[in-house]
Amino acid sequence: MIKIAITLAAFEAIGRAMPVGSVAVEPQAADNGEREIWLAPHVINKLRAIRGPGESYSDVIIRLAVEDA
């Protein structure tokens, strides 16, 4: 598993799109409000592959959530 930090908006998008407990989450938010989540390496590889220039993982997660809605 690989730990990444994402914005609160991306974290909330994951929460709306996935069943509770499907993503491992650190129990407390960082001082800047970001959440640290644990994802399988193949998921990180997929996020990297579809990430556009200048996009963060959070940007990709939010974009995918919007496209899926």
Side-chain angles (χ1 to χ4, degrees):
M1 298 296 276
I2 299 171
K3 182 170 64 172
I4 63 169
I6 59 173
T7 63
L8 180 58
F11 181 74
E12 290 172 347
I14 289 172
R16 288 188 299 272
M18 300 179 74
V20 173
S22 61
V23 174
V25 179
E26 290 297 318
Q28 296 194 346
D31 290 340
N32 64 0
E34 290 187 330
R35 299 302 306 250
E36 292 181 326
I37 63 171
W38 294 86
L39 298 172
H42 74 277
V43 175
I44 296 293
N45 289 338
K46 287 181 182 181
L47 289 174
R48 277 189 194 125
I50 60 176
R51 189 167 54 177
E55 276 190 316
S56 67
Y57 289 127
S58 295
D59 296 331
V60 174
I61 291 167
I62 292 168
R63 179 168 47 88
L64 292 173
V66 168
E67 290 173 1
D68 192 50

Short mmCIF file of all heavy atoms in Angstrom, two decimals:
data_model
loop_
_atom_site.label_atom_id
_atom_site.label_comp_id
_atom_site.label_asym_id
_atom_site.label_seq_id
_atom_site.Cartn_x
_atom_site.Cartn_y
_atom_site.Cartn_z
N MET A 1 0.84 -1.18 0.00
CA MET A 1 0.00 0.00 0.00
C MET A 1 0.89 1.24 0.00
O MET A 1 1.96 1.24 0.58
CB MET A 1 -0.89 0.00 1.23
CG MET A 1 -1.86 -1.18 1.32
SD MET A 1 -3.07 -1.23 0.02
CE MET A 1 -4.30 -0.16 0.67
N ILE A 2 0.38 2.29 -0.63
CA ILE A 2 1.10 3.55 -0.74
C ILE A 2 0.24 4.65 -0.13
O ILE A 2 -0.95 4.75 -0.44
CB ILE A 2 1.42 3.88 -2.21
CG1 ILE A 2 2.32 2.78 -2.80
CG2 ILE A 2 2.07 5.25 -2.34
CD1 ILE A 2 2.51 2.88 -4.29
N LYS A 3 0.86 5.47 0.71
CA LYS A 3 0.13 6.56 1.36
C LYS A 3 0.29 7.84 0.56
O LYS A 3 1.40 8.20 0.20
CB LYS A 3 0.63 6.75 2.79
CG LYS A 3 -0.10 7.83 3.54
CD LYS A 3 0.23 7.87 5.02
CE LYS A 3 1.66 8.19 5.30
NZ LYS A 3 1.93 8.42 6.73
N ILE A 4 -0.83 8.50 0.29
CA ILE A 4 -0.81 9.81 -0.37
C ILE A 4 -1.67 10.78 0.44
O ILE A 4 -2.56 10.37 1.18
CB ILE A 4 -1.31 9.75 -1.83
CG1 ILE A 4 -2.78 9.32 -1.90
CG2 ILE A 4 -0.42 8.84 -2.67
CD1 ILE A 4 -3.41 9.49 -3.28
N ALA A 5 -1.39 12.05 0.29
CA ALA A 5 -2.19 13.10 0.92
C ALA A 5 -3.08 13.72 -0.14
O ALA A 5 -2.63 14.02 -1.25
CB ALA A 5 -1.29 14.15 1.55
N ILE A 6 -4.36 13.89 0.21
CA ILE A 6 -5.31 14.49 -0.72
C ILE A 6 -6.09 15.59 -0.01
O ILE A 6 -6.17 15.61 1.21
CB ILE A 6 -6.27 13.45 -1.32
CG1 ILE A 6 -7.07 12.75 -0.23
CG2 ILE A 6 -5.50 12.45 -2.18
CD1 ILE A 6 -8.16 11.82 -0.75
N THR A 7 -6.68 16.47 -0.79
CA THR A 7 -7.47 17.56 -0.22
C THR A 7 -8.76 17.01 0.39
O THR A 7 -9.20 15.89 0.07
CB THR A 7 -7.84 18.60 -1.29
OG1 THR A 7 -8.67 17.96 -2.27
CG2 THR A 7 -6.60 19.19 -1.95
N LEU A 8 -9.37 17.83 1.22
CA LEU A 8 -10.65 17.44 1.82
C LEU A 8 -11.70 17.22 0.74
O LEU A 8 -12.50 16.29 0.83
CB LEU A 8 -11.10 18.51 2.81
CG LEU A 8 -12.43 18.23 3.52
CD1 LEU A 8 -12.38 16.91 4.29
CD2 LEU A 8 -12.77 19.38 4.44
N ALA A 9 -11.71 18.04 -0.30
CA ALA A 9 -12.68 17.88 -1.39
C ALA A 9 -12.52 16.53 -2.07
O ALA A 9 -13.52 15.86 -2.38
CB ALA A 9 -12.55 19.02 -2.40
N ALA A 10 -11.29 16.11 -2.32
CA ALA A 10 -11.04 14.81 -2.94
C ALA A 10 -11.45 13.68 -2.00
O ALA A 10 -12.04 12.68 -2.41
CB ALA A 10 -9.58 14.68 -3.34
N PHE A 11 -11.15 13.85 -0.72
CA PHE A 11 -11.53 12.86 0.28
C PHE A 11 -13.04 12.69 0.33
O PHE A 11 -13.56 11.58 0.37
CB PHE A 11 -10.98 13.29 1.65
CG PHE A 11 -11.29 12.34 2.75
CD1 PHE A 11 -10.62 11.13 2.86
CD2 PHE A 11 -12.24 12.65 3.70
CE1 PHE A 11 -10.91 10.25 3.89
CE2 PHE A 11 -12.53 11.79 4.73
CZ PHE A 11 -11.86 10.57 4.83
N GLU A 12 -13.77 13.80 0.30
CA GLU A 12 -15.23 13.75 0.30
C GLU A 12 -15.76 13.11 -0.98
O GLU A 12 -16.75 12.38 -0.95
CB GLU A 12 -15.81 15.13 0.51
CG GLU A 12 -15.58 15.64 1.93
CD GLU A 12 -15.96 17.09 2.13
OE1 GLU A 12 -16.19 17.81 1.13
OE2 GLU A 12 -16.04 17.51 3.30
N ALA A 13 -15.11 13.36 -2.12
CA ALA A 13 -15.53 12.74 -3.38
C ALA A 13 -15.38 11.23 -3.31
O ALA A 13 -16.24 10.49 -3.79
CB ALA A 13 -14.72 13.32 -4.54
N ILE A 14 -14.30 10.77 -2.71
CA ILE A 14 -14.10 9.33 -2.54
C ILE A 14 -15.20 8.77 -1.64
O ILE A 14 -15.78 7.72 -1.91
CB ILE A 14 -12.71 9.02 -1.94
CG1 ILE A 14 -11.64 9.29 -2.99
CG2 ILE A 14 -12.63 7.57 -1.45
CD1 ILE A 14 -10.23 9.19 -2.44
N GLY A 15 -15.51 9.49 -0.58
CA GLY A 15 -16.54 9.05 0.35
C GLY A 15 -17.91 8.90 -0.29
O GLY A 15 -18.68 8.02 0.08
N ARG A 16 -18.20 9.75 -1.27
CA ARG A 16 -19.49 9.67 -1.97
C ARG A 16 -19.51 8.55 -3.00
O ARG A 16 -20.56 8.01 -3.32
CB ARG A 16 -19.82 11.00 -2.65
CG ARG A 16 -20.20 12.11 -1.70
CD ARG A 16 -20.69 13.35 -2.43
NE ARG A 16 -19.68 13.93 -3.30
CZ ARG A 16 -18.78 14.84 -2.93
NH1 ARG A 16 -18.74 15.25 -1.68
NH2 ARG A 16 -17.91 15.32 -3.79
N ALA A 17 -18.34 8.21 -3.52
CA ALA A 17 -18.29 7.26 -4.63
C ALA A 17 -17.99 5.82 -4.22
O ALA A 17 -18.26 4.90 -4.98
CB ALA A 17 -17.22 7.72 -5.64
N MET A 18 -17.45 5.64 -3.02
CA MET A 18 -17.01 4.30 -2.63
C MET A 18 -17.65 3.89 -1.30
O MET A 18 -17.94 4.74 -0.48
CB MET A 18 -15.49 4.26 -2.52
CG MET A 18 -14.80 4.60 -3.83
SD MET A 18 -13.02 4.58 -3.72
CE MET A 18 -12.73 2.83 -3.66
N PRO A 19 -17.80 2.60 -1.11
CA PRO A 19 -18.36 2.14 0.16
C PRO A 19 -17.46 2.48 1.34
O PRO A 19 -16.23 2.52 1.20
CB PRO A 19 -18.44 0.62 -0.01
CG PRO A 19 -18.17 0.33 -1.44
CD PRO A 19 -17.51 1.53 -2.03
N VAL A 20 -18.06 2.73 2.48
CA VAL A 20 -17.31 3.03 3.69
C VAL A 20 -16.36 1.86 3.98
O VAL A 20 -16.74 0.70 3.87
CB VAL A 20 -18.27 3.24 4.88
CG1 VAL A 20 -17.51 3.38 6.19
CG2 VAL A 20 -19.15 4.45 4.63
N GLY A 21 -15.13 2.19 4.32
CA GLY A 21 -14.14 1.17 4.64
C GLY A 21 -13.37 0.63 3.45
O GLY A 21 -12.48 -0.19 3.61
N SER A 22 -13.68 1.10 2.24
CA SER A 22 -12.97 0.58 1.06
C SER A 22 -11.62 1.25 0.85
O SER A 22 -10.81 0.77 0.07
CB SER A 22 -13.84 0.72 -0.19
OG SER A 22 -14.13 2.08 -0.44
N VAL A 23 -11.38 2.36 1.55
CA VAL A 23 -10.10 3.06 1.47
C VAL A 23 -9.58 3.22 2.89
O VAL A 23 -10.29 3.68 3.78
CB VAL A 23 -10.27 4.45 0.81
CG1 VAL A 23 -8.97 5.24 0.85
CG2 VAL A 23 -10.75 4.31 -0.62
N ALA A 24 -8.33 2.83 3.10
CA ALA A 24 -7.71 3.01 4.41
C ALA A 24 -7.34 4.47 4.60
O ALA A 24 -6.76 5.09 3.71
CB ALA A 24 -6.48 2.13 4.54
N VAL A 25 -7.71 5.02 5.75
CA VAL A 25 -7.53 6.45 6.01
C VAL A 25 -6.81 6.61 7.34
O VAL A 25 -7.12 5.94 8.31
CB VAL A 25 -8.90 7.16 6.09
CG1 VAL A 25 -8.75 8.63 6.40
CG2 VAL A 25 -9.69 6.95 4.82
N GLU A 26 -5.86 7.54 7.38
CA GLU A 26 -5.24 7.90 8.65
C GLU A 26 -6.32 8.57 9.51
O GLU A 26 -7.15 9.33 9.00
CB GLU A 26 -4.06 8.84 8.43
CG GLU A 26 -2.86 8.17 7.77
CD GLU A 26 -2.25 7.06 8.62
OE1 GLU A 26 -2.11 7.23 9.83
OE2 GLU A 26 -1.93 6.01 8.04
N PRO A 27 -6.32 8.32 10.79
CA PRO A 27 -7.43 8.79 11.63
C PRO A 27 -7.56 10.30 11.79
O PRO A 27 -8.66 10.80 12.02
CB PRO A 27 -7.16 8.13 12.99
CG PRO A 27 -5.75 7.71 12.96
CD PRO A 27 -5.36 7.54 11.53
N GLN A 28 -6.49 11.03 11.63
CA GLN A 28 -6.58 12.48 11.83
C GLN A 28 -6.12 13.22 10.58
O GLN A 28 -5.19 12.79 9.90
CB GLN A 28 -5.75 12.91 13.02
CG GLN A 28 -6.26 12.32 14.30
CD GLN A 28 -5.67 12.99 15.52
OE1 GLN A 28 -4.70 13.71 15.43
NE2 GLN A 28 -6.28 12.75 16.66
N ALA A 29 -6.77 14.35 10.33
CA ALA A 29 -6.37 15.20 9.21
C ALA A 29 -5.06 15.91 9.55
O ALA A 29 -4.74 16.14 10.71
CB ALA A 29 -7.46 16.24 8.94
N ALA A 30 -4.31 16.25 8.52
CA ALA A 30 -3.08 17.03 8.69
C ALA A 30 -3.45 18.45 9.09
O ALA A 30 -4.61 18.87 8.97
CB ALA A 30 -2.28 17.02 7.39
N ASP A 31 -2.48 19.19 9.55
CA ASP A 31 -2.72 20.58 9.96
C ASP A 31 -3.30 21.43 8.83
O ASP A 31 -4.06 22.35 9.07
CB ASP A 31 -1.42 21.23 10.46
CG ASP A 31 -0.96 20.64 11.79
OD1 ASP A 31 -1.79 20.03 12.50
OD2 ASP A 31 0.23 20.79 12.11
N ASN A 32 -2.96 21.12 7.59
CA ASN A 32 -3.46 21.88 6.45
C ASN A 32 -4.81 21.38 5.95
O ASN A 32 -5.32 21.84 4.94
CB ASN A 32 -2.44 21.89 5.32
CG ASN A 32 -2.18 20.51 4.74
OD1 ASN A 32 -2.77 19.52 5.19
ND2 ASN A 32 -1.30 20.44 3.77
N GLY A 33 -5.39 20.40 6.64
CA GLY A 33 -6.71 19.88 6.29
C GLY A 33 -6.68 18.70 5.35
O GLY A 33 -7.73 18.10 5.10
N GLU A 34 -5.53 18.38 4.81
CA GLU A 34 -5.45 17.23 3.92
C GLU A 34 -5.63 15.94 4.70
O GLU A 34 -5.39 15.88 5.89
CB GLU A 34 -4.11 17.20 3.17
CG GLU A 34 -3.98 18.30 2.14
CD GLU A 34 -2.74 18.16 1.29
OE1 GLU A 34 -1.72 17.63 1.76
OE2 GLU A 34 -2.80 18.61 0.14
N ARG A 35 -6.07 14.91 3.99
CA ARG A 35 -6.23 13.58 4.57
C ARG A 35 -5.23 12.65 3.92
O ARG A 35 -4.97 12.75 2.72
CB ARG A 35 -7.64 13.04 4.32
CG ARG A 35 -8.75 13.86 4.92
CD ARG A 35 -8.65 14.05 6.43
NE ARG A 35 -8.52 12.82 7.17
CZ ARG A 35 -9.44 12.28 7.96
NH1 ARG A 35 -10.58 12.91 8.13
NH2 ARG A 35 -9.24 11.16 8.59
N GLU A 36 -4.66 11.77 4.70
CA GLU A 36 -3.75 10.77 4.17
C GLU A 36 -4.51 9.46 4.02
O GLU A 36 -5.19 9.02 4.95
CB GLU A 36 -2.55 10.60 5.09
CG GLU A 36 -1.67 11.83 5.10
CD GLU A 36 -0.46 11.67 5.99
OE1 GLU A 36 -0.56 10.99 7.03
OE2 GLU A 36 0.58 12.24 5.64
N ILE A 37 -4.43 8.91 2.80
CA ILE A 37 -5.11 7.65 2.52
C ILE A 37 -4.10 6.66 1.98
O ILE A 37 -3.03 7.03 1.49
CB ILE A 37 -6.27 7.84 1.52
CG1 ILE A 37 -5.76 8.34 0.16
CG2 ILE A 37 -7.32 8.79 2.08
CD1 ILE A 37 -6.82 8.34 -0.93
N TRP A 38 -4.44 5.41 2.11
CA TRP A 38 -3.59 4.31 1.62
C TRP A 38 -4.27 3.66 0.43
O TRP A 38 -5.44 3.29 0.50
CB TRP A 38 -3.38 3.29 2.72
CG TRP A 38 -2.60 3.81 3.88
CD1 TRP A 38 -3.08 4.48 4.96
CD2 TRP A 38 -1.19 3.73 4.05
NE1 TRP A 38 -2.06 4.83 5.81
CE2 TRP A 38 -0.88 4.36 5.27
CE3 TRP A 38 -0.15 3.18 3.31
CZ2 TRP A 38 0.42 4.46 5.76
CZ3 TRP A 38 1.13 3.27 3.79
CH2 TRP A 38 1.41 3.90 4.99
N LEU A 39 -3.54 3.55 -0.67
CA LEU A 39 -4.06 2.93 -1.89
C LEU A 39 -3.10 1.86 -2.38
O LEU A 39 -1.88 1.97 -2.19
CB LEU A 39 -4.27 3.98 -2.99
CG LEU A 39 -5.26 5.10 -2.69
CD1 LEU A 39 -5.21 6.15 -3.77
CD2 LEU A 39 -6.67 4.54 -2.54
N ALA A 40 -3.65 0.88 -3.06
CA ALA A 40 -2.83 -0.18 -3.65
C ALA A 40 -1.97 0.43 -4.76
O ALA A 40 -2.38 1.38 -5.43
CB ALA A 40 -3.71 -1.28 -4.21
N PRO A 41 -0.78 -0.13 -4.97
CA PRO A 41 0.10 0.41 -6.02
C PRO A 41 -0.56 0.49 -7.39
O PRO A 41 -0.34 1.45 -8.13
CB PRO A 41 1.29 -0.56 -6.02
CG PRO A 41 1.32 -1.10 -4.62
CD PRO A 41 -0.13 -1.19 -4.21
N HIS A 42 -1.39 -0.49 -7.74
CA HIS A 42 -2.01 -0.44 -9.07
C HIS A 42 -2.99 0.73 -9.18
O HIS A 42 -3.17 1.29 -10.27
CB HIS A 42 -2.70 -1.78 -9.42
CG HIS A 42 -3.98 -2.04 -8.70
ND1 HIS A 42 -4.03 -2.56 -7.43
CD2 HIS A 42 -5.27 -1.82 -9.07
CE1 HIS A 42 -5.28 -2.67 -7.05
NE2 HIS A 42 -6.06 -2.22 -8.02
N VAL A 43 -3.61 1.14 -8.08
CA VAL A 43 -4.50 2.30 -8.10
C VAL A 43 -3.69 3.58 -8.30
O VAL A 43 -4.05 4.45 -9.09
CB VAL A 43 -5.36 2.38 -6.82
CG1 VAL A 43 -6.19 3.65 -6.79
CG2 VAL A 43 -6.24 1.14 -6.70
N ILE A 44 -2.57 3.68 -7.59
CA ILE A 44 -1.67 4.83 -7.75
C ILE A 44 -1.19 4.90 -9.20
O ILE A 44 -1.16 5.99 -9.80
CB ILE A 44 -0.49 4.75 -6.78
CG1 ILE A 44 -0.95 4.81 -5.33
CG2 ILE A 44 0.55 5.83 -7.08
CD1 ILE A 44 -1.55 6.13 -4.91
N ASN A 45 -0.83 3.76 -9.77
CA ASN A 45 -0.36 3.75 -11.17
C ASN A 45 -1.45 4.25 -12.11
O ASN A 45 -1.16 4.98 -13.07
CB ASN A 45 0.09 2.35 -11.56
CG ASN A 45 1.39 1.96 -10.89
OD1 ASN A 45 2.16 2.81 -10.47
ND2 ASN A 45 1.62 0.67 -10.77
N LYS A 46 -2.70 3.87 -11.86
CA LYS A 46 -3.80 4.35 -12.71
C LYS A 46 -3.99 5.86 -12.56
O LYS A 46 -4.19 6.56 -13.54
CB LYS A 46 -5.10 3.62 -12.36
CG LYS A 46 -5.13 2.20 -12.85
CD LYS A 46 -6.44 1.53 -12.51
CE LYS A 46 -6.42 0.08 -12.96
NZ LYS A 46 -7.68 -0.62 -12.68
N LEU A 47 -3.92 6.35 -11.32
CA LEU A 47 -4.04 7.80 -11.11
C LEU A 47 -2.93 8.55 -11.82
O LEU A 47 -3.17 9.58 -12.45
CB LEU A 47 -4.03 8.13 -9.61
CG LEU A 47 -5.26 7.74 -8.81
CD1 LEU A 47 -5.02 8.01 -7.32
CD2 LEU A 47 -6.49 8.46 -9.30
N ARG A 48 -1.70 8.03 -11.73
CA ARG A 48 -0.57 8.66 -12.42
C ARG A 48 -0.79 8.69 -13.93
O ARG A 48 -0.48 9.68 -14.60
CB ARG A 48 0.73 7.90 -12.13
CG ARG A 48 1.38 8.25 -10.86
CD ARG A 48 2.76 7.60 -10.78
NE ARG A 48 3.22 7.69 -9.42
CZ ARG A 48 3.61 6.66 -8.68
NH1 ARG A 48 3.64 5.45 -9.19
NH2 ARG A 48 4.00 6.83 -7.45
N ALA A 49 -1.31 7.59 -14.46
CA ALA A 49 -1.49 7.47 -15.91
C ALA A 49 -2.51 8.46 -16.46
O ALA A 49 -2.37 8.93 -17.59
CB ALA A 49 -1.89 6.04 -16.27
N ILE A 50 -3.52 8.79 -15.66
CA ILE A 50 -4.56 9.69 -16.17
C ILE A 50 -4.40 11.12 -15.68
O ILE A 50 -5.17 11.99 -16.06
CB ILE A 50 -5.97 9.17 -15.84
CG1 ILE A 50 -6.19 9.03 -14.35
CG2 ILE A 50 -6.24 7.87 -16.55
CD1 ILE A 50 -7.58 8.60 -13.97
N ARG A 51 -3.36 11.34 -14.88
CA ARG A 51 -3.11 12.70 -14.37
C ARG A 51 -2.60 13.58 -15.50
O ARG A 51 -1.70 13.21 -16.25
CB ARG A 51 -2.07 12.62 -13.24
CG ARG A 51 -1.88 13.89 -12.51
CD ARG A 51 -1.10 13.70 -11.24
NE ARG A 51 0.17 13.03 -11.47
CZ ARG A 51 1.06 12.79 -10.51
NH1 ARG A 51 0.81 13.14 -9.27
NH2 ARG A 51 2.18 12.20 -10.80
N GLY A 52 -3.21 14.74 -15.64
CA GLY A 52 -2.79 15.69 -16.67
C GLY A 52 -1.66 16.57 -16.17
O GLY A 52 -1.31 16.54 -14.98
N PRO A 53 -1.07 17.37 -17.06
CA PRO A 53 0.00 18.26 -16.65
C PRO A 53 -0.45 19.19 -15.52
O PRO A 53 -1.50 19.83 -15.62
CB PRO A 53 0.31 19.06 -17.92
CG PRO A 53 -0.25 18.24 -19.04
CD PRO A 53 -1.40 17.49 -18.47
N GLY A 54 0.31 19.23 -14.47
CA GLY A 54 0.03 20.11 -13.35
C GLY A 54 -1.07 19.61 -12.41
O GLY A 54 -1.39 20.28 -11.43
N GLU A 55 -1.66 18.45 -12.69
CA GLU A 55 -2.72 17.93 -11.84
C GLU A 55 -2.14 17.16 -10.66
O GLU A 55 -1.17 16.42 -10.81
CB GLU A 55 -3.65 16.98 -12.60
CG GLU A 55 -4.73 17.64 -13.37
CD GLU A 55 -5.75 16.64 -13.89
OE1 GLU A 55 -5.35 15.58 -14.41
OE2 GLU A 55 -6.95 16.93 -13.78
N SER A 56 -2.77 17.31 -9.52
CA SER A 56 -2.42 16.52 -8.35
C SER A 56 -3.31 15.28 -8.32
O SER A 56 -4.27 15.17 -9.09
CB SER A 56 -2.65 17.35 -7.08
OG SER A 56 -4.03 17.60 -6.91
N TYR A 57 -3.02 14.37 -7.40
CA TYR A 57 -3.91 13.23 -7.22
C TYR A 57 -5.31 13.72 -6.85
O TYR A 57 -6.31 13.17 -7.32
CB TYR A 57 -3.39 12.29 -6.14
CG TYR A 57 -2.15 11.52 -6.53
CD1 TYR A 57 -1.03 11.55 -5.74
CD2 TYR A 57 -2.12 10.76 -7.70
CE1 TYR A 57 0.11 10.84 -6.09
CE2 TYR A 57 -0.99 10.06 -8.06
CZ TYR A 57 0.13 10.10 -7.24
OH TYR A 57 1.25 9.39 -7.60
N SER A 58 -5.39 14.75 -6.03
CA SER A 58 -6.69 15.30 -5.64
C SER A 58 -7.46 15.79 -6.85
O SER A 58 -8.66 15.53 -6.99
CB SER A 58 -6.51 16.44 -4.64
OG SER A 58 -5.96 15.97 -3.43
N ASP A 59 -6.78 16.49 -7.75
CA ASP A 59 -7.43 16.99 -8.96
C ASP A 59 -8.01 15.84 -9.78
O ASP A 59 -9.14 15.92 -10.28
CB ASP A 59 -6.44 17.77 -9.83
CG ASP A 59 -5.92 19.04 -9.19
OD1 ASP A 59 -6.64 19.64 -8.36
OD2 ASP A 59 -4.77 19.43 -9.50
N VAL A 60 -7.24 14.77 -9.92
CA VAL A 60 -7.69 13.62 -10.70
C VAL A 60 -8.90 12.96 -10.04
O VAL A 60 -9.89 12.65 -10.70
CB VAL A 60 -6.55 12.58 -10.88
CG1 VAL A 60 -7.05 11.32 -11.56
CG2 VAL A 60 -5.40 13.19 -11.66
N ILE A 61 -8.83 12.78 -8.73
CA ILE A 61 -9.94 12.14 -8.02
C ILE A 61 -11.22 12.96 -8.18
O ILE A 61 -12.29 12.41 -8.47
CB ILE A 61 -9.58 11.96 -6.54
CG1 ILE A 61 -8.47 10.90 -6.41
CG2 ILE A 61 -10.80 11.59 -5.71
CD1 ILE A 61 -7.80 10.86 -5.04
N ILE A 62 -11.12 14.26 -8.03
CA ILE A 62 -12.30 15.13 -8.18
C ILE A 62 -12.81 15.08 -9.62
O ILE A 62 -14.02 14.97 -9.85
CB ILE A 62 -11.98 16.56 -7.73
CG1 ILE A 62 -11.74 16.58 -6.21
CG2 ILE A 62 -13.10 17.52 -8.13
CD1 ILE A 62 -11.15 17.87 -5.70
N ARG A 63 -11.92 15.13 -10.58
CA ARG A 63 -12.33 15.08 -11.99
C ARG A 63 -13.07 13.78 -12.30
O ARG A 63 -14.11 13.77 -12.94
CB ARG A 63 -11.12 15.24 -12.92
CG ARG A 63 -11.45 15.18 -14.39
CD ARG A 63 -10.32 15.61 -15.29
NE ARG A 63 -9.01 15.05 -15.00
CZ ARG A 63 -8.55 13.90 -15.48
NH1 ARG A 63 -9.32 13.16 -16.29
NH2 ARG A 63 -7.34 13.50 -15.20
N LEU A 64 -12.53 12.67 -11.81
CA LEU A 64 -13.18 11.38 -12.04
C LEU A 64 -14.55 11.30 -11.36
O LEU A 64 -15.50 10.76 -11.93
CB LEU A 64 -12.29 10.24 -11.55
CG LEU A 64 -11.00 10.02 -12.33
CD1 LEU A 64 -10.13 8.99 -11.64
CD2 LEU A 64 -11.30 9.62 -13.77
N ALA A 65 -14.65 11.86 -10.18
CA ALA A 65 -15.92 11.86 -9.46
C ALA A 65 -16.97 12.67 -10.21
O ALA A 65 -18.12 12.26 -10.31
CB ALA A 65 -15.73 12.40 -8.04
N VAL A 66 -16.56 13.81 -10.76
CA VAL A 66 -17.48 14.65 -11.52
C VAL A 66 -17.90 13.94 -12.80
O VAL A 66 -19.09 13.93 -13.16
CB VAL A 66 -16.84 16.02 -11.83
CG1 VAL A 66 -17.65 16.79 -12.86
CG2 VAL A 66 -16.69 16.82 -10.56
N GLU A 67 -16.95 13.32 -13.48
CA GLU A 67 -17.28 12.61 -14.72
C GLU A 67 -18.21 11.43 -14.46
O GLU A 67 -19.04 11.10 -15.29
CB GLU A 67 -15.99 12.11 -15.39
CG GLU A 67 -15.14 13.20 -15.98
CD GLU A 67 -13.80 12.71 -16.51
OE1 GLU A 67 -13.52 11.48 -16.43
OE2 GLU A 67 -13.02 13.54 -16.98
N ASP A 68 -18.07 10.80 -13.31
CA ASP A 68 -18.87 9.64 -12.97
C ASP A 68 -20.28 10.01 -12.54
O ASP A 68 -21.19 9.20 -12.63
CB ASP A 68 -18.18 8.83 -11.86
CG ASP A 68 -18.81 7.48 -11.66
OD1 ASP A 68 -18.99 6.75 -12.66
OD2 ASP A 68 -19.12 7.15 -10.50
N ALA A 69 -20.46 11.25 -12.09
CA ALA A 69 -21.78 11.67 -11.56
C ALA A 69 -22.79 11.86 -12.66
O ALA A 69 -22.60 11.92 -13.79
CB ALA A 69 -21.63 12.97 -10.78
#
